[in-house]
Amino acid sequence: MNALSPRARLAVVLLAVLLLGGGSLGYVLRARQHAEPQRTTADSSFTLAGPRLYYRDSDTGRVAYRPPGPDAASVVGGPSCERFHAAGDTALCLQRLPGLPARADVVVLDRQLRETRRITLPGIPNRARVSASGRMLAWTMFATGDSYATSAFSTRTSILDLNTGYLIKSMEQIPLTIDGARYHAPDINYWGVTFARDDNRFYATASTNGRTYLVEGDLAAWSATALRENVECPSLSPDNSRIAFKKRVSEGTDSPWRLYVLDLRTMTEQPLAESRSVDDQAAWLDDSTVAYALPNADGRTTDLWSVPANGAGTPRLAVPGASSPVAVG
């Protein structure tokens, strides 16, 4: 068999490069199309109004709502969001962007769900909260990793004041006190902010040295203080008297958490009737009920469940194929 000439060998190499490059480009384009949000804006008739339960629909990735009533039908028509929350005249939508490294858009929406501000940040969307007035926004991104069940993760939590436009890019800027002393450590992570009604105080989770803490923050005083250990993803009740949270009850990644409610006046905690492991920041539907997402049977999407906040009753399936619940009154 005759050997290929140098020119022929060069032609073969160029052809291979073109074929491989075309295949890679096709893969990238297909991946980009798959990862693009299906709809970045809401339908014109889809707005914030109440009373309704808003949530992210797993089938479409878009925000949907369900009016009150056992036979009420869901309406899908909001923007595509990985995480969603709303209160007052403000909604917060976190949209994951395609490609690497991981990036996301933080989209601020008005009551008509029209975009008023967009911030592009690195990371994977994980938590979103709006204060009751709609003034204060908070979100958490995974900087590395994508699960709280392991120690191999890093988060970045930001707070935005819509009245002043001031953005706290990272909560790690706020001085932290633990056990009465100013605390410094390179491994501090914050996540799961929840705001008090005064738009100044907030609660969040701080993690450092293998421990998690419930932190109470004061924006005006520019301070944060650890209140107690083993509290994750706090959610303040509408009357500001209790916090729903997930508590680690076992080591490892198999069923590590249980839902609890903490009375802020007495600092006593009550386990809720949900015995399954919940990896979510619960949302209060009213002063007596919390909602949360749990993986469904296929393990690829989640369902919304609700349970009484006093430890009694039984969990109830609220919306199948859903996440990011928020009650809008």
Side-chain angles (χ1 to χ4, degrees), residues 108-128:
V108 183
L109 306 164
D110 63 16
R111 198 166 185 85
Q112 304 303 313
L113 295 181
R114 295 171 301 200
E115 181 178 327
T116 61
R117 183 167 179 176
R118 181 180 293 259
I119 306 169
T120 301
L121 296 170
I124 300 172
N126 182 254
R127 298 286 186 255

Side-chain angles (χ1 to χ4, degrees), residues 9-244:
R9 286 198 299 270
L10 178 60
V12 170
V13 170
L14 289 175
L15 178 61
V17 169
L18 287 172
L19 289 173
L20 289 173
S24 299
L25 178 61
Y27 172 80
V28 170
L29 289 175
R30 287 193 299 272
R32 182 179 179 87
Q33 289 168 356
H34 178 73
E36 286 281 5
Q38 296 180 25
R39 185 69 179 261
T40 58
T41 59
D43 296 346
S44 59
S45 60
F46 193 97
T47 62
L48 289 182
R52 293 172 178 173
L53 173 63
Y54 286 79
Y55 58 90
R56 179 186 184 271
D57 176 66
S58 298
D59 287 339
T60 63
R62 300 181 68 183
V63 176
Y65 70 78
R66 178 170 290 187
D71 300 321
S74 293
V75 177
V76 180
S80 293
C81 307
E82 288 290 318
R83 293 290 185 270
F84 178 80
H85 200 257
D89 292 328
T90 307
L92 177 60
C93 172
L94 306 186
Q95 298 176 338
R96 187 170 181 176
L97 299 176
L100 293 174
R103 296 178 306 135
D105 277 347
V106 176
V107 185
V108 183
L109 306 164
D110 63 16
R111 198 166 185 85
Q112 304 303 313
L113 295 181
R114 295 171 301 200
E115 181 178 327
T116 61
R117 183 167 179 176
R118 181 180 293 259
I119 306 169
T120 301
L121 296 170
I124 300 172
N126 182 254
R127 298 286 186 255
R129 273 299 186 268
V130 180
S131 69
S133 70
R135 171 183 172 178
M136 306 299 297
L137 311 181
W139 57 85
T140 298
M141 304 283 188
F142 274 119
T144 59
D146 60 2
S147 172
Y148 295 110
T150 70
S151 59
F153 71 87
S154 175
T155 61
R156 181 178 295 272
T157 295
S158 306
I159 296 176
L160 173 64
D161 184 338
L162 291 183
N163 279 12
T164 65
Y166 183 67
L167 172 64
I168 302 172
K169 294 182 179 180
S170 174
M171 274 185 57
E172 295 171 23
Q173 302 171 26
I174 302 175
L176 174 63
T177 297
I178 298 179
D179 295 330
R182 176 77 166 88
Y183 186 81
H184 302 270
D187 70 338
I188 295 177
N189 283 296
Y190 287 97
W191 66 86
V193 171
T194 183
F195 293 103
R197 284 180 301 202
D198 61 7
D199 285 335
N200 176 58
R201 288 183 305 115
F202 65 88
Y203 298 88
T205 297
S207 171
T208 180
N209 196 28
R211 298 179 177 181
T212 58
Y213 297 88
L214 173 65
V215 168
E216 181 178 20
D218 186 318
L219 292 171
W222 198 243
S223 66
T225 303
L227 300 182
R228 65 190 287 129
E229 287 191 43
N230 199 5
V231 173
E232 297 185 51
C233 299
S235 179
L236 190 60
S237 62
D239 64 7
N240 282 208
S241 68
R242 291 154 295 157
I243 282 179

Side-chain angles (χ1 to χ4, degrees), residues 262-282:
L262 174 69
D263 186 311
L264 290 173
R265 183 179 61 84
T266 64
M267 297 304 283
T268 57
E269 58 185 39
Q270 170 69 55
L272 301 189
E274 176 57 79
S275 60
R276 292 167 291 184
S277 183
V278 176
D279 183 10
D280 195 15
Q281 186 174 16

